Amino acid sequence: MSCYDRRDLGLLLLRLGTGGVLAAHGAQKLFGWFGGHGLEGTGQFMESVGYAPGRASATAAGLAETGGGTLLALGLATPAAGAAAAGAMAGAAAVHLPNGFFAQEGGYEYAASLGLAAAGLGIAGPGRLSLDHALGHVFDRGWMVPAALGATAAATALVVGVRARRVRAKREGEQEVLFEE
């Protein structure tokens, strides 16, 4: 097996694993599959953590995860797919950030890992074992990488920033416990 064959097989495995997990995670939000809560339950959760309106936020996150994950697994429109999935995971990481890094403590480890893998695939490209390669890379041009990542970073910063302001405003209205009993 040549170096290029190993690289392409490695990218395929990484795309299938990362994309499959993201697609399943998004299907929980959109359809309630795999033990998920669907748009109604996910929308309520999104609203409770500061992403409003909740149902629209759940739909956007679900589409970014399901669509981005599916496209990553297929190796199609890889820059846009990686950017969309990374943006969704950045939004998830923002929710878990106060809990620290490790997932066992409710931290952002899982979201960060998926987001970085998705972004890395968007930058590295899908390899030869992909639909992008089979279609002559019409949806995987060099200029698409910074365009997709830049547009997603701007949109994600805006959404996460608005959420942070909502969370801060909600906390300012709450009374802190002065003394432990």
Side-chain angles (χ1 to χ4, degrees):
M1 191 179 265
S2 74
C3 179
Y4 292 110
D5 293 335
R6 287 179 34 214
R7 185 183 72 86
D8 292 327
L9 184 57
L11 286 170
L12 174 64
L13 292 172
L14 189 56
R15 284 193 351 258
L16 290 173
T18 304
V21 169
L22 285 162
H25 199 63
Q28 289 180 309
K29 289 176 178 63
L30 293 176
F31 312 117
W33 295 353
F34 313 115
H37 299 288
L39 285 176
E40 189 65 34
T42 304
Q44 291 172 5
F45 171 75
M46 297 289 259
E47 191 90 32
S48 77
V49 296
Y51 287 115
R55 188 176 176 92
S57 297
T59 301
L63 288 173
E65 292 168 8
T66 303
T70 300
L71 291 172
L72 275 177
L74 295 171
L76 181 61
T78 306
M89 291 299 99
V95 172
H96 296 282
L97 190 64
N99 301 322
F101 178 70
F102 292 105
Q104 67 201 30
E105 302 295 324
Y108 63 93
E109 168 188 22
Y110 181 67
S113 295
L114 284 175
L116 288 169
L121 286 165
I123 293 167
R128 291 185 292 181
L129 302 172
S130 66
L131 287 178
D132 273 336
H133 182 74
L135 297 173
H137 295 277
V138 289
F139 303 112
D140 180 32
R141 304 277 186 215
W143 65 266
M144 294 175 180
V145 174
L149 290 172
T152 300
T156 301
L158 177 67
V159 170
V160 170
V162 168
R163 177 203 171 260
R165 283 192 292 278
R166 264 192 207 102
V167 169
R168 274 194 306 276
K170 183 179 176 187
R171 282 194 195 130
E172 288 173 1
E174 295 175 0
Q175 177 67 37
E176 288 188 37
V177 176
L178 297 176
F179 301 100
E180 298 279 331
E181 290 186 32

